[in-house]
C-alpha cells in the first residue's frame, strides 16, 4: 500500500482526469518509481555519495524527460 498521496491529475486544459483505470496506473507507476528512487538514493548514501548530489541527478533526469506525444494530436 502506498504511503504517498498523489495529486489529482489534470490535463493540459486544466480538466481533471477522472478515469479510475488511468488514475490507478499513474498511482502504481509512481509508487514503483518512488521505491526505485529510494533504493537508488540509499545505495548512493551507503557508497558515501553526497545526498544532495544524488537529488540533483534525480532532478536532472526528470528535467530531461521527453514527451514523445507532444504535437501529435
Amino acid at each position: 500500500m502506498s504511503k504517498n498521496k498523489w495529486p489529482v491529475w489534470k490535463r493540459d486544459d486544466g480538466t481533471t482526469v477522472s478515469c479510475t483505470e488511468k488514475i490507478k496506473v499513474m498511482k502504481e507507476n509512481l509508487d514503483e518509481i518512488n521505491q526505485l528512487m529510494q533504493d537508488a538514493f540509499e545505495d548512493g548514501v551507503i557508497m558515501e555519495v553526497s545526498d544532495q548530489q544524488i537529488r540533483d541527478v534525480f532532478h536532472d533526469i526528470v528535467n530531461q524527460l521527453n514527451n514523445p506525444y507532444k504535437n501529435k494530436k
Side-chain angles (χ1 to χ4, degrees):
M1 173 110 351
S2 172
K3 64 182 179 204
N4 295 305
K5 181 164 173 35
W6 300 115
V8 173
W9 298 107
K10 303 285 185 177
R11 296 180 186 87
D12 287 340
D13 66 4
T15 59
T16 301
V17 175
S18 59
C19 174
T20 305
E21 193 60 33
K22 290 178 182 179
I23 295 167
K24 178 182 173 186
V25 168
M26 287 298 295
K27 178 195 171 305
E28 289 171 353
N29 286 343
L30 290 173
D31 287 345
E32 195 173 319
I33 290 166
N34 185 72
Q35 186 60 56
L36 183 62
M37 290 179 72
Q38 182 64 44
D39 292 346
F41 183 80
E42 290 174 14
D43 288 347
V45 170
I46 287 170
M47 293 183 278
E48 301 179 357
V49 175
S50 160
D51 62 346
Q52 186 58 56
Q53 184 180 18
I54 299 167
R55 292 174 198 278
D56 292 344
V57 169
F58 287 171
H59 284 277
D60 288 344
I61 290 169
V62 170
N63 290 337
Q64 292 175 36
L65 292 174
N66 178 47
N67 178 353
Y69 305 106
K70 191 171 188 164
N71 299 325
K72 289 193 176 187
K73 292 181 180 178

